[in-house]
Amino acid sequence: MSIDLRSDTVTRPSEAMREAAADAPVGDDVYGEDPSVNELEAAAAERVGTEDALYVPTGTMGNQIAARVHADRGEEVLLDRKSHIYCWELGGLAQLSGIQPRPVDADEAVPTPAQIDEAYVEADLHRAGTGLLALENTHNGRGGVAVPPDRIAAAAEAAHDRGVPVHLDGARLFNACVALDVDPARMVRDVDSVLFCLSKGLGAPVGSILAGDEDFVEEARRVRKLLGGGMRQAGMIAAPGLLALDNVERLAVDHENAAALASGLDALDGVRAADPDTNIVQVFTDDLGVRAETFAEACEARGVLGGHHGPYLTRFCTHLDVTREDVDDAVDLISDVVTELSA
Ligand SMILES: Cc1ncc(COP(=O)(O)O)c(C=O)c1O
């Protein structure tokens, strides 16, 4: 069996989650009558301290709904060049909502107030204007960076000063909260909407939460229906999501495993591994002169799955289904790969 470190999306639901799915009381959620979905939405809103929350099938749909609710057609979304919304959602802003991205290089994962001031566009006869600032925490493309709440607040303030709403793609929000020991409600206090996934490190089989104030969620519910995300007896997939909320504290284990993996790999000749904030380990093989695609293939042949995310950047991700023993084994196996590739 391979050690699967491609992503925390590969986690499988526990027995308890499977039982919760089988036993879930259900109703038609489009009519607002699914008790399990209603319970999950209430628990999720309470967890992040928002007025309301909406269960959505995926993180991608949640982000796209949020952008559409906040921004009008033609308007710009200010975001980081390496953000998930910009890089990995099929140009959904443009395809689905006629919104155009305005990327900036947020080297520290979140645009600075100065970058926001500079990239902001005032609407006039020639320009559609900035309709949204989209942030990401943890920041996947920059290596699972956990952004502290004061930096989120500073960015949000710069946007709000100009009347621009703020959405937080917190697919891994709880990884950031656990890594920085920050209450989730504090982390999202300054943004207007937040998306977080139940299906990644938290281990639910399906589903994400989009949270905000009542007006936002009411409109988000309509857009979810428009995009085909109004589900009927969704309690069967929402019930495991409630149990996923109990898995927040254990994310610290994934972070410890990631740190062990990074230090083990960084000790190998020709390999550099960035010190991870959370559960994502970025490994660079330029000193080895081996491209990431080749490196990832060689790792796979030895039984360790990762992903190539740049010319010389391979990503390994720890999660619920990876033990410390797996991590130690992975380091040994990758050490053999490095020896083989250096020969
Ligand atoms: C930062 C970030 N946002 C959004 C998503 C999208 O989530 P989903 O795969 O549920 O659509 C991902 C998925 O990996 C992600 O890493």
Side-chain angles (χ1 to χ4, degrees):
M1 262 271 283
S2 299
I3 303 168
D4 194 346
L5 303 174
R6 284 171 301 167
S7 173
D8 48 12
T9 56
V10 301
T11 52
R12 271 172 278 241
S14 62
E15 275 311 312
M17 285 184 178
R18 290 167 193 267
E19 278 166 27
D23 297 343
V26 294
D28 188 330
D29 181 48
V30 174
Y31 294 153
E33 291 171 2
D34 189 301
S36 303
V37 173
N38 292 342
E39 191 184 346
L40 173 62
E41 290 178 345
E46 196 186 333
R47 188 63 80 96
V48 291
T50 55
E51 282 178 8
D52 209 347
L54 182 71
Y55 184 56
V56 290
T58 64
T60 300
M61 188 185 282
N63 283 334
Q64 294 299 324
I65 291 172
R68 189 179 174 108
V69 171
H70 288 303
D72 292 331
R73 281 186 81 75
E75 282 187 333
E76 298 186 1
V77 178
L78 210 163
L79 37 64
D80 175 43
R81 195 178 304 284
K82 292 194 176 173
S83 63
H84 194 277
I85 296 180
Y86 183 50
C87 298
W88 302 105
E89 299 189 9
L90 286 124
L93 297 175
Q95 293 218 60
L96 300 172
S97 304
I99 302 167
Q100 46 179 341
R102 160 86 56 175
V104 298
D105 291 304
D107 297 332
E108 309 251 313
V110 160
T112 62
Q115 284 179 309
I116 293 164
D117 282 346
E118 201 176 314
Y120 169 77
V121 170
E122 180 96 41
D124 64 16
L125 180 62
H126 303 280
R127 312 184 83 187
T130 304
L132 177 65
L133 169 68
L135 307 178
E136 188 172 316
N137 198 13
T138 63
H139 196 303
N140 178 353
R142 293 190 181 274
V145 174
V147 183
D150 55 328
R151 298 221 355 264
I152 301 278
E157 192 183 340
H160 288 153
D161 282 351
R162 295 174 175 275
V164 174
V166 183
H167 171 67
L168 177 63
D169 173 357
R172 297 181 183 79
L173 175 76
F174 295 108
N175 292 86
C177 294
V178 166
L180 299 169
D181 193 19
V182 172
D183 183 64
R186 168 71 189 91
M187 190 64 100
V188 310
R189 191 183 68 190
D190 302 289
V191 300
D192 302 287
S193 58
V194 60
L195 171 281
F196 64 84
C197 295
L198 302 163
S199 57
K200 298 192 165 67
L202 302 185
V206 185
S208 292
I209 294 289
L210 181 58
D213 68 21
E214 275 173 11
D215 289 346
F216 170 82
V217 172
E218 191 183 334
E219 188 53 25
R221 198 176 289 280
R222 294 185 78 238
V223 176
R224 184 185 68 174
K225 190 74 178 72
L226 171 73
L227 298 181
M231 298 178 285
R232 302 297 178 172
Q233 287 70 38
M236 294 200 69
I237 50 173
L242 258 179
L243 298 183
L245 291 174
D246 295 337
N247 279 340
V248 166
E249 295 309 322
R250 69 146 303 284
L251 292 171
V253 174
D254 298 344
H255 301 171
E256 280 163 24
N257 285 341
L261 181 64
S263 80
L265 297 183
D266 196 55
L268 304 177
D269 271 350
V271 172
R272 280 181 297 119
D275 206 7
D277 283 354
T278 55
N279 67 326
I280 293 175
V281 177
Q282 291 191 324
V283 174
F284 299 90
T285 50
D286 41 343
D287 291 347
L288 204 58
V290 174
R291 292 180 69 83
E293 210 170 341
T294 310
F295 183 67
E297 264 170 28
C299 291
E300 184 176 347
R302 297 257 176 188
V304 183
L305 307 186
H308 51 97
H309 284 251
Y312 293 95
L313 166 60
T314 304
R315 190 189 80 170
F316 296 106
C317 206
T318 57
H319 53 77
L320 190 56
D321 295 343
V322 172
T323 63
R324 178 56 190 266
E325 206 184 353
D326 292 331
V327 166
D328 293 341
D329 290 347
V331 171
D332 290 344
L333 291 163
I334 296 173
S335 169
D336 293 343
V337 169
V338 171
T339 308
E340 174 191 305
L341 292 173
S342 324

